[in-house]
Amino acid sequence: MRKQNEKPLISFILPNYNNQHVLDLFFEKFLENNTYDNYEFIVVDDGSEDDGLDVLNEWKKSGKIKNMQLIAEPHKGIINALNKALSVAKGEFIIRCDGDATIESKSFVEEFLKLYYINPNKIGVITSKVMIDNGNLHAVGRSITTEEGLHDRGKKVKNIQKRKWDWETFVDPYSLNNIINVPAELDSALGVFTFCDRKTALKIGGFDENYPLWIEDDDFYFSFRKFNKKVFYTPFIEICHRFSLRGNRNPSSWKRNKTLKQKMKNLFVRHKTDPDWRPNILRHDYQYWKEKWGFDLLNPSIENIKTKYAESEICWRYNPAMLKEGQEIVKKYLEVKQKELLDEIR
């Protein structure tokens, strides 16, 4: 087992599509808050329609980002970009970044490793606190195997067992205060600045290409549990999702790679100005999830999940031994953080 004071190679992977207006801020924040030197940074541009690739080339030429690889792909979608980056990564651990989400906490790599090394045999994924640039909460991890179905932790679900969309949630301030600042085990995670071990990622086979947009991160990090790995949230790393600066995601606007554009339009978009392009893609994702995992993502049958995945970490919250194991990890992590605080006071 690797000693905690050693520095493993970290592979940052960043899929980029139409993030021209936030990329400079992303890298500036990275340099401001990164204190870890053994890393590589792999960026895959997914045929951006804006001038984001030029911005990325300037950052590579600057030499400010260590071991930066820039791969320019035709527009094939986010899954291709993620798996391309994963295929060339050499690090023991992967940190997936989003080009439209900036890092707001100092020494974030060290914080991920601090939690990971509490139990490296069991921890596969660690995610961070994600806020939106309007000040609202985005997510503190994701819940899946409860009667509420897929939703951002820290939010309450509307229309339980009658849901049509995963965004049917609202913020309960009281509940949120008891969740947002507390480390916890959880089902899965957003792809926004999430840490995982590369070995398990490769066993999973990377990101599932059957998700054209969204849900691919829920699916990928949830899959770690099939390999006896746990997923955790740390509130001590904060990310800001810069929705106000991000580029267009609508397939109707894509100009390059006409074959993919037509394929996406045939699947999800009835005409160029169809406002339902996003819901139609999500309907596809929900249906594919059900076919793959054997339960409804939004309105799950808990008994069905227990029966199908009884011996798996997927059922961690319903297995007393698995649940206790996660609680012990959180307890030890909090003890480490408390000792840090006391040392600072002294």
Side-chain angles (χ1 to χ4, degrees):
M1 185 183 297
R2 181 185 294 277
K3 294 181 180 179
Q4 195 167 342
N5 62 353
E6 293 184 10
K7 287 189 172 182
L9 177 65
I10 304 292
S11 295
F12 293 95
I13 65 172
L14 190 157
N16 178 68
Y17 179 66
N18 289 352
N19 290 312
Q20 173 188 354
H21 299 297
V22 71
L23 287 171
D24 281 335
L25 181 61
F26 172 89
F27 285 113
E28 289 163 4
K29 285 286 189 177
F30 177 86
L31 291 174
E32 176 185 340
N33 289 311
N34 179 51
T35 55
Y36 194 86
D37 59 3
N38 190 23
Y39 71 88
E40 61 177 0
F41 209 115
I42 303 163
V43 184
V44 179
D45 183 75
D46 182 36
S48 291
E49 301 292 336
D50 60 12
D51 293 325
L53 186 57
D54 294 336
V55 175
L56 291 168
N57 272 308
E58 287 301 312
W59 274 99
K60 180 173 172 57
K61 290 176 185 176
S62 75
K64 294 178 181 178
I65 305 298
K66 289 185 60 177
N67 303 314
M68 182 174 175
Q69 299 181 54
L70 177 55
I71 302 170
E73 286 279 287
H75 188 43
K76 298 180 181 179
I78 189 171
I79 305 301
N80 175 73
L82 286 166
N83 285 335
K84 188 75 173 181
L86 191 59
S87 71
V88 300
K90 297 181 176 65
E92 185 174 341
F93 302 104
I94 303 291
I95 296 178
R96 174 185 164 178
C97 309
D98 274 7
D100 60 355
T102 58
I103 305 153
E104 306 297 321
S105 299
K106 204 82 172 175
S107 302
F108 45 86
V109 173
E110 290 88 340
E111 193 62 48
F112 277 133
L113 293 174
K114 195 177 299 172
L115 174 50
Y116 174 81
Y117 282 122
I118 287 173
N119 193 333
N121 292 323
K122 288 298 300 185
I123 299 175
V125 179
I126 306 171
T127 195
S128 49
K129 180 193 300 182
V130 185
M131 306 298 292
I132 302 173
D133 54 3
N134 63 7
N136 292 333
L137 172 70
H138 189 171
V140 289
R142 301 272 268 177
S143 291
I144 294 174
T145 62
T146 67
E147 65 173 0
E148 292 91 349
L150 175 67
H151 65 282
D152 296 324
R153 286 182 68 252
K155 297 179 183 178
K156 293 288 187 178
V157 169
K158 300 177 182 177
N159 304 319
I160 295 174
Q161 290 297 310
K162 296 179 181 179
R163 299 174 69 203
K164 291 180 63 178
W165 311 108
D166 62 277
W167 65 69
E168 293 175 307
T169 61
F170 63 96
V171 173
D172 178 348
Y174 177 78
S175 174
L176 188 61
N177 288 336
N178 294 325
I179 292 175
I180 192 170
N181 294 318
V182 182
E185 183 173 7
L186 44 119
D187 289 316
S188 191
L190 289 177
V192 186
F193 214 74
T194 294
F195 167 106
C196 69
D197 77 271
R198 184 171 68 97
K199 185 177 180 180
T200 307
L202 295 177
K203 286 181 181 178
I204 290 168
F207 293 83
D208 192 327
E209 64 184 8
N210 291 295
Y211 295 101
L213 282 173
W214 308 301
I215 311 299
E216 91 288 334
D217 44 4
D218 295 298
D219 178 274
F220 177 67
Y221 296 117
F222 192 58
S223 296
F224 276 72
R225 292 191 166 277
K226 293 176 70 175
F227 291 86
N228 201 34
K229 296 289 186 176
K230 288 181 173 290
V231 184
F232 287 90
Y233 160 71
T234 175
F236 304 110
I237 302 174
E238 184 167 325
I239 307 302
C240 181
H241 218 159
R242 306 280 177 170
F243 285 161
S244 66
L245 298 177
R246 73 190 307 181
N248 191 2
R249 300 298 192 265
N250 190 336
S252 296
S253 69
W254 296 349
K255 298 174 184 175
R256 299 173 188 168
N257 195 335
K258 293 180 180 179
T259 301
L260 179 68
K261 177 183 175 182
Q262 189 59 50
K263 177 182 177 182
M264 295 291 284
K265 286 179 71 175
N266 289 343
L267 281 171
F268 310 118
V269 186
R270 288 191 294 273
H271 55 82
K272 190 171 183 179
T273 58
D274 188 347
D276 291 333
W277 69 273
R278 186 173 187 268
N280 286 336
I281 290 175
L282 283 171
R283 288 188 191 99
H284 168 273
D285 289 348
Y286 300 152
Q287 180 59 36
Y288 177 66
W289 177 286
K290 189 173 183 178
E291 294 169 2
K292 177 176 179 177
W293 291 96
F295 66 90
D296 189 321
L297 183 59
L298 300 183
N299 305 294
S301 164
I302 303 306
E303 292 308 312
N304 183 24
I305 293 173
K306 289 179 182 178
T307 300
K308 191 174 182 64
Y309 297 106
E311 304 303 318
S312 166
E313 275 285 347
I314 286 170
C315 282
W316 65 276
R317 68 173 76 245
Y318 304 109
N319 182 305
M322 292 179 185
L323 182 63
K324 183 177 180 181
E325 189 173 35
Q327 292 170 340
E328 287 297 316
I329 290 171
V330 170
K331 180 181 176 182
K332 290 177 182 178
Y333 180 47
L334 286 172
E335 289 171 353
V336 170
K337 298 303 295 182
Q338 185 176 35
K339 183 178 184 301
E340 284 182 356
L341 181 59
L342 290 173
D343 289 343
E344 287 179 10
I345 294 172
R346 292 178 186 140

